[in-house]
Amino acid sequence: MSLTGRLSTAIGLFVVAVALIAWGLLAYLHPGTDGGYTNYTVGHTQGAPIDVTLQSVGSIGYGAHPTWVSYLQKNPTTGQWVHDTSMTLPANTVINMTIDQFDSGSPLRNQEFGQVQGTIGGTIKVNGKSIKLFDSNTGNGAAHTFAVPGLNLYVPLLGISANATNVCSTAPCGPSFAHNVITFSFKTGAPGSYSWQCFVPCGLGYLFGNGGPMSTLNYMGGFLKVVA
Ligand SMILES: [Cu+2]
């Protein structure tokens, strides 16, 4: 190959490499869109526990990114499933959480997240059975985690069987599809803004699985706005 040929090949490869790095960084750092907050404080009697219901799905099936994994939240007033992962909650209040988990799983990259932390009693219930520690190298692995680092709350969400034939592909997913019901309670603590997120790199097709839905609000993370 001539010198000019080799030079243009080298420049071409360099440009491609720079473009790929820039694309990867942008995908990784993309802050996502701003969402609303589902409000649980309206009409709340101080001290009364609050029920929050979420679902995690393998593909949301609609919107800007139909193939992305996502969480959805059941609006406490209307009972409708909404694509909104943030919530306004009263301070120092017990939250009774139910997560209907419809996605398949894999072993956790960090086994630390198999240890239930920060729930009342240190346990969660999976389909009614109480557990403290989940070995994600067994069974169907973990699909996602619900974690609020600011509250020291870490909950593994067990995956459905990879052989399940009735897998939900369009949210909101109804109870006839394969899923695990995970329930636990925690206390909101002092007023403040607490981010929550999934710690399973479930953003398939993105840099280390941490781009796309993992770095976009309303998919694999959100905020708890805890108010006095
Ligand atoms: Cu996830």
Side-chain angles (χ1 to χ4, degrees):
M1 197 187 277
S2 72
L3 182 63
T4 327
R6 272 184 288 171
L7 202 61
S8 49
T9 304
I11 292 171
L13 284 174
F14 180 74
V15 169
V16 169
V18 168
L20 277 174
I21 289 166
W23 177 79
L25 277 175
L26 282 172
Y28 186 75
L29 297 173
H30 189 264
T33 51
D34 195 9
Y37 283 80
T38 298
N39 196 345
Y40 292 80
T41 65
V42 181
H44 175 250
T45 313
Q46 203 181 353
I50 285 177
D51 293 338
V52 174
T53 307
L54 306 177
Q55 66 173 243
S56 50
V57 299
S59 60
I60 187 163
Y62 65 88
H65 306 287
T67 60
W68 282 11
V69 287
S70 191
Y71 278 89
L72 290 96
Q73 178 173 202
K74 196 180 230 176
N75 184 291
T77 315
T78 64
Q80 300 283 310
W81 287 102
V82 287
H83 189 214
D84 167 21
T85 55
S86 293
M87 50 202 88
T88 305
L89 298 167
N92 301 309
T93 299
V94 172
I95 307 299
N96 295 323
M97 180 74 90
T98 301
I99 302 179
D100 296 332
Q101 201 303 104
F102 291 87
D103 200 6
S104 55
S106 57
L108 287 161
R109 286 13 166 230
N110 184 342
Q111 293 302 324
E112 185 93 358
F113 297 128
Q115 171 73 55
V116 174
Q117 293 174 67
T119 63
I120 293 172
T123 58
I124 60 172
K125 276 187 176 163
V126 181
N127 303 325
K129 190 171 163 259
S130 189
I131 66 163
K132 267 181 195 282
L133 174 71
F134 173 53
D135 178 356
S136 65
N137 291 312
T138 64
N140 300 317
H144 305 280
T145 68
F146 182 85
V148 189
L151 295 175
N152 233 348
L153 179 71
Y154 294 90
V155 172
L157 303 180
L158 281 68
I160 60 166
S161 167
N163 301 321
T165 50
N166 53 339
V167 178
C168 179
S169 58
T170 302
C173 299
S176 64
F177 291 103
H179 69 291
N180 289 319
V181 180
I182 290 110
T183 55
F184 55 93
S185 299
F186 68 98
K187 223 167 174 187
T188 51
S193 179
Y194 301 85
S195 63
W196 74 265
Q197 70 169 93
C198 171
F199 277 107
V200 173
C202 58
L204 285 182
Y206 290 88
L207 192 66
F208 302 123
N210 281 316
M214 283 294 280
S215 52
T216 308
L217 195 61
N218 292 332
Y219 287 87
M220 277 293 130
F223 288 93
L224 311 184
K225 194 196 284 175
V226 175
V227 297

